[in-house]
């Protein structure tokens, strides 16, 4: 399964593409989509760059699914709103490309990749390098995007097993509703 990971940002959005076969992960590509060449006040143009960039990455690498980092709340509400809009442009681009999208928090990604939800960026970069057997550490935005893809490779497989087990349980015991089997 080919997974596209996205670390959304209004100035710089990271992307990372990996192939996952069971527990084996293989690096495909990573990079960033930047809007710094546009005027800071031209929000619509910046969102269009993100939308078009995601669509281009999707067309080039043909992922089977995508995973996006969930936005955290900043101290500055305006920054949070702008980041949310960038994230919305990324999600819309993925859905417009008919990709299923999973979402993970930075804490979940750090836990899955580095073993601690409080891992520093440098620790995440080092573990992404190690897990994907890269010759050097990717940039911080690309590293976070690859981390999100790795998280989905692990969590997605576990969730599929849980869903399959739940379907098996429903067939054998009836439908589960509100704490009881009907």
């Amino acid at each position: 399964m080919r997974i596209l990971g996205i670390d959304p940002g209004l100035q710089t959005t990271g992307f990372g593409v990996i192939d996952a076969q069971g527990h084996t992960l293989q690096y495909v590509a990573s990079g960033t989509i930047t809007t710094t060449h546009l005027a800071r006040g031209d929000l619509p143009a910046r969102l269009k760059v993100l939308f078009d960039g995601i669509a281009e990455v999707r067309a080039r690498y043909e992922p089977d699914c995508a995973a996006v980092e969930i936005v955290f709340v900043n101290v500055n509400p305006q920054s949070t709103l702008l980041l949310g809009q960038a994230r919305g442009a990324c999600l819309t681009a993925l859905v417009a490309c008919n990709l299923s999208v999973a979402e993970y928090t930075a804490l979940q990604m750090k836990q899955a990749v580095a073993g601690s939800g409080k891992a520093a960026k440098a620790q995440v970069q080092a573990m992404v390098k190690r897990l994907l057997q890269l010759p050097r550490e990717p940039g911080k935005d690309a590293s976070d995007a690859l981390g999100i893809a790795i998280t989905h490779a692990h969590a997605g497989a576990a969730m599929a097993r849980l869903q399959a087990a739940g379907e098996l349980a429903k067939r054998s015991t009836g439908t589960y509703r509100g704490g009881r089997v009907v």
Side-chain angles (χ1 to χ4, degrees), residues 34-52:
T34 62
T35 65
T36 53
H37 61 285
L38 297 169
R40 289 183 72 100
D42 195 356
L43 181 62
R46 294 171 85 185
L47 296 176
K48 183 173 181 352
V49 166
L50 295 177
F51 184 93
D52 292 344

Side-chain angles (χ1 to χ4, degrees), residues 61-86:
Y61 299 107
E62 300 178 345
D64 299 310
C65 59
V68 179
E69 185 173 315
I70 295 174
V71 174
F72 63 91
V73 178
N74 286 314
V75 174
N76 181 343
Q78 182 63 25
S79 295
T80 302
L81 288 171
L82 291 171
L83 181 56
Q85 291 181 66

Side-chain angles (χ1 to χ4, degrees), residues 60-116:
R60 179 176 295 167
Y61 299 107
E62 300 178 345
D64 299 310
C65 59
V68 179
E69 185 173 315
I70 295 174
V71 174
F72 63 91
V73 178
N74 286 314
V75 174
N76 181 343
Q78 182 63 25
S79 295
T80 302
L81 288 171
L82 291 171
L83 181 56
Q85 291 181 66
R87 186 173 179 277
C90 294
L91 286 170
T92 303
L94 294 167
V95 172
C97 293
N98 296 315
L99 285 175
S100 63
V101 179
E103 300 174 277
Y104 301 95
T105 65
L107 184 100
Q108 290 171 313
M109 182 271 289
K110 290 175 181 182
Q111 180 69 43
V113 173
S116 169

